Amino acid sequence: MLAEAVSHLEPVMPMLRELGERFTSAGHEIALVGGPVRDAFLARTSPDLDFTTSARPEDTERIVDGWADAVWDLGRAFGTIGVRKGDFQVEITTYRADAYDRETRKPVVEFGDSLDEDLVRRDFTVNAMALRLPDLTFVDPYGGLADMAARSLRTPTSPEVSFGDDPLRMMRAARFSSQLSFDIAPEPFAAMTEMAGSIRMISAERVRDELVKLLMSPAPRRGLTALVDSGICEYVLPEVPALALEIDEHHRHKDVYEHSLTVLEQAMDLEGPRDVPGVEEAEVVEGPDLVLRLAALLHDIGKPDTRRFESGGGVSFHHHELVGAKLARKRLRELRFDKDTIKAVCRLVELHLRFHGYGNGEWTDSAVRRYVTDAGPLLSRLHLLTRADSTTRNKRKAARLQATYDDLEARIERLKAEEELAAVRPELNGNEIAEVLGIKPGPVLGKAYQYLLSVRLDEGVIGKEAAADRLRTWWAEQPESQG
């Protein structure tokens, strides 16, 4: 197993040996540690190379001087020196024996004296394995390799101690479960459940970053389920567990929580190239796409607040897309997502039901234009979200919905070809509108522009002369024209 793992490190082996020889010649230990070692055993390529050493930061700088192409010390306070050698950027960190300030949860840096002492402070046993350099001696004091074979996440020390030191490790357990398709062992999962509320001590930015990594993983359902079942999600994204609406004895609605996880998975399956009948080249959303995945997860979060039982035995969720967009905006702001991401996700949540008015293709060209214009640059994601939102087990109904959306995409494609639909504008620009009406730039000009845009959306291309006539007719009915 070691030989096979080492073979996956072959592209970086010359650099590993050189670095190892420089440190041992200077009387220090150095080892490749953490994710790169774990990934080598999993036959994965790790994007990072992390090293731990007995050398203090100033010793590390002296050892790599003349060998490294560049050195930076922004992490010096934590014992970390950054190094660039050729195409590789690496971090070399002095052995640590961290203690944590139990009030701020920030690490109190204390340098350690041994590799084993450094490894025990790491989050999970599968990340607490190392390869000593330059001889590639495998070091695994806490059973990481056995846990890897069992596809299990355990902590090197007591999970209560580990999660008490840094509660974010509970979210990291969920994230690694999604990234690696590992199970969280019973002991750490019990600690997560018992200590769920301590996640409130972690900054919104750190929580957000872990959530993003989880959602961008190959199997986010695993991690999301762990967060919900442990109770952690109640503190970081409470709208998701709230989707597990109690099903009444008549089963008048689906489990919205399970539906949302399925929509997320189906949206992921649609990322990348796809074929649509009648469309020469369907729009592509390259995966993993954070905006699409967030929108898929959150698209129905307005349902709990809008659920109404009808007299005939049915259940309704009127305007849940509008309520959901507001809830999503509030939550994503609290998690410190950037404005563009928030705007895009909330717009998709708001629009995700629009297609259901299409029926069997009854929309006019005007309605199709408005669909495209309202979606704007999010149209390709809206295509995927809307398709993914069909989770019916009725194969005939599912096929009918797919065919109907195929028809809509084909219509959009035809209109785009005819009218440059993606960039719909009034047939008169602002200067031309001002000239026709004899007005100056200002709110009235903006109002006239919006009127001509609505004409363009409703009627398509009618020509500049006809547009000017329509504009004059409209203007004669406006109070401002009387001034």
Side-chain angles (χ1 to χ4, degrees):
M1 289 182 67
L2 179 59
E4 189 170 341
V6 168
S7 71
H8 289 286
L9 294 170
E10 192 60 37
V12 298
M13 194 57 65
M15 189 266 289
L16 296 183
R17 294 193 186 281
E18 287 179 20
L19 197 59
E21 288 167 359
R22 292 187 74 89
F23 273 79
T24 55
S25 296
H28 293 287
E29 300 175 354
I30 188 169
L32 183 69
V33 69
V37 179
R38 176 201 69 216
D39 287 345
F41 278 100
L42 291 173
R44 291 158 44 109
T45 300
S46 179
D48 304 309
L49 290 175
D50 297 321
F51 299 88
T52 186
T53 179
S54 60
R56 296 302 192 254
E58 59 274 14
D59 296 322
T60 294
E61 287 181 304
R62 186 167 56 252
I63 291 169
V64 300
D65 183 41
W67 175 80
D69 297 324
V71 178
W72 56 95
D73 64 354
L74 293 179
R76 175 184 285 274
F78 296 94
T80 299
I81 300 298
V83 172
R84 179 171 59 81
K85 177 66 173 177
D87 295 332
F88 302 107
Q89 291 191 11
V90 306
E91 290 188 346
I92 304 172
T93 303
T94 302
Y95 290 157
R96 296 263 291 274
D98 285 349
Y100 282 79
D101 182 326
R102 289 299 178 109
E103 296 297 323
T104 66
R105 283 330 193 248
K106 292 181 179 179
V108 178
V109 179
E110 295 180 3
F111 294 142
D113 297 315
S114 72
L115 179 57
D116 284 7
E117 186 180 18
D118 180 88
L119 296 177
V120 76
R121 55 168 283 275
R122 297 180 180 269
D123 51 8
F124 301 104
T125 59
V126 296
N127 294 330
M129 301 183 293
L131 287 173
R132 288 188 185 274
L133 302 177
D135 55 1
L136 302 178
T137 300
F138 180 53
V139 181
D140 181 22
Y142 305 106
L145 191 57
D147 286 337
M148 185 178 298
R151 306 193 73 80
S152 179
L153 290 169
R154 291 191 308 109
T155 55
T157 186
S158 157
E160 290 79 9
V161 171
S162 182
F163 298 157
D165 283 344
D166 185 2
L168 190 67
R169 288 174 174 171
M170 299 186 294
M171 288 195 69
R172 285 170 63 84
R175 188 247 293 183
F176 281 124
S177 178
S178 287
Q179 286 183 330
L180 305 174
S181 292
F182 281 17
D183 294 322
I184 302 171
E187 297 82 0
F189 189 80
M192 288 168 61
T193 304
E194 178 68 25
M195 304 171 68
S198 64
I199 198 67
R200 290 174 293 186
M201 301 176 183
I202 302 301
S203 71
E205 290 82 0
R206 293 182 72 204
V207 167
R208 175 204 62 212
D209 290 347
E210 282 299 323
L211 184 62
V212 168
K213 291 174 184 176
L214 188 160
L215 285 173
M216 299 291 270
S217 74
R221 177 190 280 264
R222 296 180 65 101
L224 289 168
T225 300
L227 292 179
V228 170
D229 291 350
S230 65
I232 294 172
C233 209
E234 294 282 356
Y235 300 99
V236 299
L237 199 60
E239 293 79 7
V240 171
L243 292 172
L245 299 173
E246 181 180 352
I247 299 178
D248 64 287
E249 67 274 15
H250 301 295
H251 296 276
R252 289 181 287 188
H253 63 80
K254 297 178 181 179
D255 184 330
V256 185
Y257 168 64
E258 284 296 327
H259 165 77
S260 297
L261 293 181
T262 300
V263 172
L264 170 59
E265 291 176 320
Q266 293 185 166
M268 291 168 55
D269 289 341
L270 292 171
E271 292 172 338
R274 59 195 182 95
D275 294 321
V276 179
V279 178
E280 185 174 338
E281 189 172 346
E283 294 181 81
V284 173
V285 175
E286 296 293 349
D289 187 88
L290 178 62
V291 168
L292 176 63
R293 295 185 181 197
L294 277 170
L297 178 64
L298 303 178
H299 76 284
D300 273 348
I301 60 172
K303 281 191 170 180
D305 286 352
T306 58
R307 181 173 62 160
R308 299 291 183 272
F309 292 111
E310 307 295 346
S311 57
V315 63
S316 67
F317 303 97
H318 293 311
H319 304 303
H320 76 268
E321 72 279 14
L322 302 179
V323 173
K326 291 180 180 178
L327 291 173
R329 182 173 292 103
K330 179 176 183 294
R331 179 57 52 197
L332 296 178
R333 281 176 175 169
E334 290 183 1
L335 287 171
R336 304 293 192 269
F337 278 89
D338 63 276
K339 291 181 180 179
D340 289 343
T341 298
I342 294 173
K343 182 179 179 181
V345 171
C346 294
R347 188 59 169 159
L348 287 173
V349 172
E350 184 179 340
L351 293 174
H352 83 273
L353 286 183
R354 182 75 65 86
F355 160 72
H356 294 285
Y358 189 69
N360 292 315
E362 292 91 346
W363 275 2
T364 62
D365 285 352
S366 168
V368 175
R369 292 187 196 99
R370 289 187 180 277
Y371 187 77
V372 173
T373 302
D374 288 349
L378 297 171
L379 181 63
S380 55
R381 292 185 176 102
L382 183 58
H383 287 332
L384 304 196
L385 177 60
T386 304
R387 289 178 179 275
D389 196 22
S390 172
T391 59
T392 178
R393 295 180 181 177
N394 185 319
K395 292 184 179 179
R396 184 175 299 177
K397 182 179 179 181
R400 185 172 66 249
L401 285 169
Q402 178 174 318
T404 304
Y405 206 90
D406 287 345
D407 178 69
L408 175 57
E409 280 206 61
R411 283 186 66 186
I412 290 171
E413 187 77 4
R414 289 194 299 272
L415 285 171
K416 277 185 175 181
E418 295 168 3
E419 307 179 17
E420 298 182 1
L421 194 56
V424 169
R425 298 287 186 274
E427 291 185 75
L428 302 179
N429 62 32
N431 291 332
E432 291 169 329
I433 292 172
E435 184 178 346
V436 169
L437 301 183
I439 60 176
K440 296 180 179 179
V444 176
L445 180 58
K447 187 177 176 182
Y449 183 94
Q450 289 301 317
Y451 167 71
L452 278 188
L453 178 59
S454 69
V455 172
R456 173 72 173 81
L457 289 170
D458 289 340
E459 302 179 35
V461 177
I462 62 174
K464 284 183 176 288
E465 186 175 336
D469 288 342
R470 296 289 295 276
L471 182 62
R472 293 187 189 97
T473 301
W474 170 83
W475 180 241
E477 300 171 354
Q478 304 306 307
E480 296 90 342
S481 67
Q482 310 304 318

